């Protein structure tokens, strides 16, 4: 079993799990695992093929170990994954609330996977649904169409399929996953573009709006200004944290205007370290198209 490894020494305090947790698609995600020893495992389809990466904090720094054809690529780029290209100090403000969030977020950085397709597909699955529904579909589709992750991994780990495989998934399998035809067509249609080369043009794809593009860019290219307009929860959290009460999208954009260029970072800080409004009314229900 071919294995490659190296240690990278970050020049600042780093919260590895906090930085990459946005890549974890719910309990039982076949592409990502947290191990009891503190290591983080991620399966990915790289430009060189499928690979598995293990991240582990060691006394010298962070050790990245890779397996499979894509292992060397993952090991080469793992510092970017855990925030090497991010600069939190670009957020300069005298706002006391935001400065308080920054102090609480010591070690948190914006990740960058470098893989646009693998950020776009789950973002489409999560369009206008509760996370439980989207995560269920992600698990089903990866278990059915993802290939086993290389390396000494759990047998259930899977490498997310490349675009050509997603394009060929039969309609009945989408139905069994719980995905309705609209999101199925959006993912199929997205295979018409080389999204890896055009992460700034995602909204030209039918069914991909500002929310989906922002969720994708935040993870894939580490965009600190990506704001997911159209989210059910985020404007409420941003409003509660920054202004003391929930707001809508327009209100959120107004509150974020002073942080232009770093608005996405402020959103992430609010969601992770801010104040969530008190829940009123019933939760959104989990839909199940499989019974229809």
């Amino acid at each position: 079993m071919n294995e490659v490894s190296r240690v990278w020494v970050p020049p600042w305090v780093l919260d590895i799990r906090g930085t990459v947790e946005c890549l974890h698609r719910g309990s039982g995600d076949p592409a990502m695992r947290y191990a009891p020893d503190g290591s983080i495992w991620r399966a990915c389809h790289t430009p060189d093929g499928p690979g598995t990466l293990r991240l582990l904090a060691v006394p010298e720094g962070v050790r990245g170990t890779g397996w499979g054809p894509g292992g060397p690529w993952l090991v080469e780029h793992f510092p970017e994954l855990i925030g090497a290209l991010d600069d939190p100090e670009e957020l300069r403000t005298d706002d006391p609330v935001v400065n308080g969030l920054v102090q609480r977020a010591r070690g948190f950085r914006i990740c960058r996977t470098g893989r646009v397709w693998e950020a776009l597909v789950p973002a489409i699955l999560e369009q206008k649904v509760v996370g439980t529904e989207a995560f269920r579909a992600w698990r089903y589709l990866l278990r059915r169409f993802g290939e086993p992750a290389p390396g000494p991994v759990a047998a259930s780990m899977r490498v997310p399929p490349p675009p050509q495989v997603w394009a060929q998934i039969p309609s009945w399998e989408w139905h069994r996953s719980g995905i309705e035809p609209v999101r199925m067509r959006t993912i199929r249609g997205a295979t018409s573009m080389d999204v890896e080369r055009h992460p700034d043009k995602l909204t030209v794809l039918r069914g991909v709006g500002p929310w989906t593009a922002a969720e994708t860019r935040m993870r894939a290219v580490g965009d600190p200004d990506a704001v997911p307009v159209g989210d059910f929860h985020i404007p409420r959290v941003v409003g509660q944290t920054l202004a003391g009460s929930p707001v809508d999208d327009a209100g959120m954009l107004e509150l974020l205007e002073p942080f232009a260029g770093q608005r996405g970072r402020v959103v992430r800080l609010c969601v992770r370290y801010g104040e969530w409004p008190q829940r009123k009314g019933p939760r959104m229900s989990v839909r199940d198209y499989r019974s229809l």
Side-chain angles (χ1 to χ4, degrees), residues 202-251:
L202 298 178
T203 54
V204 306
L205 294 167
R206 185 174 183 178
V208 175
W211 182 90
T212 306
E215 288 287 313
T216 301
R217 288 183 51 79
M218 180 268 289
R219 293 170 173 84
V221 301
D223 184 354
D225 199 46
V227 180
V229 174
D231 193 274
F232 179 78
H233 297 290
I234 287 177
R236 296 168 50 81
V237 177
V238 171
Q240 186 71 42
T241 301
L242 299 185
S245 61
V247 297
D248 57 12
D249 278 332

Side-chain angles (χ1 to χ4, degrees), residues 86-93 98 110 222-227 256-269:
D86 184 39
D87 185 3
E89 294 186 3
E90 290 185 358
L91 174 59
R92 299 182 179 92
T93 179
V98 174
I110 294 178
D223 184 354
D225 199 46
V227 180
L256 294 174
E257 186 175 354
F259 312 107
Q262 297 290 310
R263 297 175 302 167
R265 188 185 309 279
V266 174
V267 169
R268 291 286 305 279
L269 292 174

Side-chain angles (χ1 to χ4, degrees), residues 133 136-137 140 173-180 183 287-290:
E133 179 182 332
R136 179 187 64 201
Y140 178 86
E173 292 286 10
W174 289 101
H175 184 78
R176 289 170 180 168
S177 77
I179 296 299
E180 86 290 353
R183 285 180 287 166
R287 302 175 300 179
D288 193 342
Y289 292 96
R290 296 172 297 179

Side-chain angles (χ1 to χ4, degrees), residues 159-215:
V159 178
Q164 60 269 27
V165 174
W166 286 98
Q168 296 168 1
I169 296 176
S171 58
W172 60 85
E173 292 286 10
W174 289 101
H175 184 78
R176 289 170 180 168
S177 77
I179 296 299
E180 86 290 353
V182 173
R183 285 180 287 166
M184 175 193 71
R185 288 193 293 267
T186 299
I187 292 174
R188 284 179 172 175
T191 64
S192 64
M193 176 192 287
D194 184 353
V195 297
E196 307 299 335
R197 295 181 58 189
H198 301 290
D200 298 329
K201 299 180 179 180
L202 298 178
T203 54
V204 306
L205 294 167
R206 185 174 183 178
V208 175
W211 182 90
T212 306
E215 288 287 313

Side-chain angles (χ1 to χ4, degrees), residues 15-201:
D15 177 0
I16 302 175
R17 180 160 176 166
T19 297
V20 303
E21 71 174 3
C22 66
L23 306 176
H24 191 232
R25 305 291 181 172
S27 176
D29 181 354
M32 190 166 175
R33 290 285 189 274
Y34 299 123
D37 65 355
S39 61
I40 299 172
W41 296 70
R42 182 168 183 266
C44 177
H45 203 282
T46 78
D48 299 325
T52 301
L53 175 70
R54 179 183 66 194
L55 296 173
L56 180 65
V58 295
E60 311 94 286
V62 182
R63 181 179 298 279
T65 307
W67 294 267
W73 188 94
L74 290 168
V75 169
E76 177 185 354
H77 292 279
F78 86 78
E80 301 168 20
L81 177 69
I82 54 179
L85 299 181
D86 184 39
D87 185 3
E89 294 186 3
E90 290 185 358
L91 174 59
R92 299 182 179 92
T93 179
D94 56 5
D95 185 289
V97 175
V98 174
N99 279 330
L101 296 175
V102 170
Q103 292 302 312
R104 293 182 61 189
R106 189 167 180 262
F108 167 77
R109 304 181 82 85
I110 294 178
C111 68
R112 178 187 178 120
T113 68
R115 307 305 297 147
V116 179
W117 180 258
E118 289 186 6
L120 176 61
V121 170
I124 294 172
L125 294 178
E126 293 168 15
Q127 290 176 344
K128 299 181 180 179
V129 299
V130 295
T132 301
E133 179 182 332
F135 298 156
R136 179 187 64 201
W138 176 250
R139 289 194 302 270
Y140 178 86
L141 292 167
L142 261 62
R143 289 169 181 168
R144 291 284 291 123
F145 300 100
E147 61 182 290
V153 302
S156 59
M157 282 200 74
R158 292 290 185 274
V159 178
Q164 60 269 27
V165 174
W166 286 98
Q168 296 168 1
I169 296 176
S171 58
W172 60 85
E173 292 286 10
W174 289 101
H175 184 78
R176 289 170 180 168
S177 77
I179 296 299
E180 86 290 353
V182 173
R183 285 180 287 166
M184 175 193 71
R185 288 193 293 267
T186 299
I187 292 174
R188 284 179 172 175
T191 64
S192 64
M193 176 192 287
D194 184 353
V195 297
E196 307 299 335
R197 295 181 58 189
H198 301 290
D200 298 329
K201 299 180 179 180

